[in-house]
Amino acid sequence: MLIPHREPGMEEGALPWDCQRIIAAVRQAAGPVMAREVGEVVGVDVSVKAKLEPLRSKLVRLVDRGWLRKLPDGRFTARL
């Protein structure tokens, strides 16, 4: 499993490098962010929807594994 489930005491260093960049982009934002905003920070061509969808998939996977939170409006935030 490339993205492990978050457990107590587990560091972000256990994640693949691209996932670490995604989490860092979400954390440095002033508040909840959309996938497009994360893409702009990590260097994804956000003008092409097909290039944004893999990023959105990684964000959702990070939510499923406990590394991020997804709000009802579709924005993402970091877990504390």
Side-chain angles (χ1 to χ4, degrees), residues 3-8 10-12 15 19 22-29 31-33 59-72 75-80:
I3 301 175
H5 289 276
R6 185 176 183 189
E7 296 176 5
M10 185 178 276
E11 297 290 326
E12 290 174 13
L15 295 170
C19 292
I22 291 169
I23 290 175
V26 171
R27 287 205 173 162
Q28 78 183 37
V33 291
L59 284 161
V60 170
R61 199 168 312 128
L62 286 166
V63 168
D64 292 342
R65 306 280 164 77
W67 293 97
L68 295 176
R69 273 186 9 176
K70 186 174 182 182
L71 301 177
R75 296 181 299 162
F76 297 90
T77 63
R79 288 211 179 260
L80 299 173

